[in-house]
Amino acid sequence: MKSFCSNALKPNHSIQNPPRSFLSSTNRCLLQRPNWVSFANNPRCAFPRSDCVYRATSEPLTGVERVRDDDDAVAVADVGSETGGLRRKKLAAFVSGGGSNFRAIHEACLAGLVHGDVAVLVTNKGGCGGAAYARESGIPVIVFPRTKDEPDGLFASDLVAALRDYEIDFILLAGYLKLIPTELIRAYPRHILNIHPSLLPAFGGKGYYGMKVHNAIIASGARFSGPTIHFVDEHYDTGRILAQRVVPVLATDTAEDLAARVLTEEHRVYVEVTNALCEERIVWREDGVPLIQSKGNPGQYE
Ligand code: GRF
């Protein structure tokens, strides 16, 4: 049986295919307001409009059956009819640590809750928990960047080429602690998301990571916290906000208590947002704010 993922990097990283999301001419986001644009109509599309033609894909859209490396057949729900025949998207997850958000998204993909698949994991720490889980799950691992400790890591230009080689549609940062190079942001404009464990713009920016965030929130006296998902720009935690969830900060909370409560919400919201991304339900208001179109009610945005 054909293996869905290979553990090895694909050999030729020089292929410069644009991410396929740019190739869909069908605007599934049903523009309800004239000045809101979907990814398909994005004027900042990095590739010429003449490239934006619909191409049939060889990927089956209904009744998909995929095979894991351990040869356990995984039947994926037939979501083709619910998603209007949209192609499943290919995702790259970027992780530096345990990777519980990456796991939540990967499991949701396998369960048919996300109309896409994690096609590759990128990490700056080849030995981290997220990388170990990826290898066990048959997801290829790319180490980035190249450093003294990680001499097999890729340079930025090679990373971009590798992601294009894998035909990655969207990049999901999930606890990746390095700044994303400009080269990658330019290659994937408005196609990179990050999750941060506070209600941005509060408690974000350089130095706010891990327990430092939750300690600062408790020390400030804030009564509410929660995860933020935002698009990624050249700076830490400043890109446009796409989604937030609120949790209470209790009087007796330790930073660990708060972190655990926020993390539970992170897993839920990142899965929901990733599915909206894969189903092309993100639209851009004319002032540049991204919105999520409701699945049940296409006239409603959050
Ligand atoms: C999460 O709290 C996320 O918000 C932040 O890094 C942490 C990653 O956790 N960016 P995990 O590796 O997904 O468990």
Side-chain angles (χ1 to χ4, degrees):
M1 282 196 278
K2 195 177 161 228
S3 172
F4 181 66
C5 290
S6 117
N7 273 319
L9 270 178
K10 290 185 180 176
N12 180 3
H13 292 155
S14 62
I15 300 169
Q16 298 279 319
N17 289 333
R20 284 204 185 174
S21 53
F22 291 116
L23 300 180
S24 168
S25 68
T26 314
N27 176 10
R28 317 266 178 188
C29 292
L30 301 179
L31 302 180
Q32 303 289 314
R33 311 275 173 97
N35 291 326
W36 293 6
V37 293
S38 74
F39 281 111
N41 282 349
N42 183 353
R44 292 168 63 182
C45 175
F47 304 97
R49 280 301 302 177
S50 57
D51 275 349
C52 295
V53 293
Y54 180 78
R55 302 250 172 88
T57 162
S58 57
E59 291 167 18
L61 290 166
T62 56
V64 186
E65 184 188 295
R66 298 176 311 178
V67 179
R68 288 201 303 222
D69 277 353
D70 59 7
D71 266 356
D72 280 348
V74 179
V76 173
D78 180 355
V79 291
S81 52
E82 285 175 27
T83 53
L86 283 180
R87 176 179 61 79
R88 284 179 82 81
K89 303 302 187 291
K90 292 185 181 176
L91 310 168
F94 280 47
V95 164
S96 296
S100 69
N101 278 286
F102 151 55
R103 265 178 230 216
I105 291 167
H106 174 58
E107 282 166 10
C109 291
L110 294 179
L113 300 173
V114 169
H115 194 56
D117 298 287
V118 182
V120 65
L121 181 97
V122 177
T123 181
N124 61 317
K125 292 183 181 167
C128 73
Y133 172 82
R135 291 188 190 100
E136 282 161 21
S137 309
I139 297 171
V141 174
I142 291 178
V143 176
F144 172 80
R146 178 174 300 196
T147 60
K148 200 156 47 74
D149 293 339
E150 296 287 2
D152 293 333
L154 297 188
F155 293 115
S157 56
D158 294 331
L159 175 66
V160 170
L163 295 175
R164 290 216 168 125
D165 211 7
Y166 280 109
E167 300 178 332
I168 294 302
D169 294 292
F170 299 108
I171 294 171
L172 307 174
L173 309 185
Y176 182 74
L177 295 178
K178 295 276 181 189
L179 197 61
I180 296 301
T182 308
E183 217 163 337
L184 187 56
I185 291 166
R186 292 207 179 125
Y188 284 87
R190 291 179 163 182
H191 283 62
I192 308 177
L193 286 180
N194 180 44
I195 188 158
H196 182 78
S198 76
L199 294 170
L200 290 175
F203 306 105
K206 197 166 165 48
Y208 278 113
Y209 61 89
M211 284 301 152
K212 288 178 196 281
V213 177
H214 304 293
N215 275 316
I217 291 168
I218 289 172
S220 75
R223 300 301 203 263
F224 296 97
S225 184
T228 299
I229 293 179
H230 63 93
F231 281 91
V232 171
D233 60 19
E234 277 91 347
H235 310 284
Y236 283 110
D237 304 329
T238 56
R240 296 291 185 143
I241 292 170
L242 178 60
Q244 293 186 310
R245 293 291 182 273
V246 177
V247 303
V249 182
L250 304 181
T252 54
D253 270 351
T254 63
E256 287 74 19
D257 295 334
L258 180 57
R261 194 175 305 123
V262 171
L263 193 62
T264 302
E265 276 316 305
E266 289 188 35
H267 297 164
R268 289 193 191 122
V269 69
Y270 220 173
V271 165
E272 285 171 25
V273 166
T274 301
N275 190 41
L277 207 55
C278 291
E279 292 182 354
E280 301 180 15
R281 287 188 286 110
I282 311 295
V283 296
W284 294 83
R285 214 168 58 190
E286 60 183 334
D287 60 357
V289 169
L291 304 170
I292 299 174
Q293 185 182 39
S294 154
K295 190 164 180 165
N297 183 355
Q300 200 172 307
Y301 297 84
E302 79 169 80

